[in-house]
Amino acid sequence: FSVRSSEGRLTRRETRAKRMTQNAIHAPETRRRQAGFSIVEVLVALIVLSVGMLGIASLYVDSLRAGRTALLRTQAVFLATDMADRIRANPTAGAAYALGGADNGCVAGAVDSVNCTPAQMAAQDIFLWQNQIAQLLPAGAAGDIVHVPGTLPDTYTISVTWPYDGQPGDAAYGVNVQI
């Protein structure tokens, strides 16, 4: 039962009923378009997430590499200053620290230690130092001591070099010691 207004227009009830009928007819189509995400949106989000994760992984690898470099440099500083302290403890050895190392049995405080000359103690210091370099730094690392003759006070240049990961050439640390 429908009553039209005097002007031929639909009444409120008819207008409301017509809208409900139209909404019911088009509702499944409208819901299908608005429900959830499309596969394209999901794929785009997945690509953006993947690129972000690759960036994070790259930063993680860089931080590991930087941490290893810092550790190796710290160990090189420790080794160079250790040798500088050994030279300061044996100031009369002079140029003997620029020569090669040898295991002379000159270990302070050991029961079976022998009395050594300053030059023999210098050779023992170099021997122990080179063993420490081999233990603490990667293969190919080396230590070098240069005695600068004719300087007053005596001057020594102590350098430690080691292979640098991913870079051409070696990394190095050096220190000058005056006795």
Side-chain angles (χ1 to χ4, degrees):
F1 170 71
S2 115
V3 178
R4 294 197 177 248
S5 67
S6 59
E7 299 168 0
R9 293 186 300 176
L10 296 174
T11 64
R12 267 189 203 173
R13 188 178 301 163
E14 288 176 326
T15 306
R16 203 175 304 143
K18 189 173 180 179
R19 272 192 219 139
M20 289 175 70
T21 305
Q22 288 174 348
N23 286 343
I25 294 171
H26 298 297
E29 184 179 315
T30 305
R31 277 191 216 133
R32 195 175 324 127
R33 277 191 258 154
Q34 294 178 355
F37 299 101
S38 72
I39 191 74
V40 173
E41 290 171 324
V42 171
L43 289 175
V44 167
L46 189 60
I47 289 171
V48 168
L49 182 65
S50 298
V51 168
M53 293 300 284
L54 286 173
I56 290 171
S58 173
L59 287 173
Y60 182 71
V61 169
D62 287 346
S63 70
L64 287 176
R65 189 175 296 132
R68 177 167 166 72
T69 300
L71 175 67
L72 293 176
R73 183 164 299 278
T74 301
Q75 289 172 338
V77 169
F78 163 74
L79 290 165
T81 56
D82 178 53
M83 181 48 74
D85 289 342
R86 290 172 187 261
I87 292 171
R88 285 187 193 104
N90 187 8
T92 58
Y97 277 101
L99 304 174
D103 187 6
N104 296 324
C106 302
V107 180
V111 176
D112 58 345
S113 65
V114 296
N115 289 332
C116 296
T117 66
Q120 289 173 324
M121 192 65 193
Q124 179 72 29
D125 287 343
I126 293 169
F127 174 78
L128 295 173
W129 185 60
Q130 289 171 342
N131 285 340
Q132 285 180 324
I133 289 172
Q135 290 174 356
L136 296 176
L137 295 175
D144 188 37
I145 303 169
V146 176
H147 177 253
V148 181
T151 58
L152 201 59
D154 278 348
T155 302
Y156 299 86
T157 300
I158 304 168
S159 61
V160 179
T161 58
W162 66 97
Y164 192 68
D165 294 338
Q167 298 293 325
D170 290 341
Y173 176 78
V175 62
N176 290 325
V177 178
Q178 294 181 340
I179 304 297

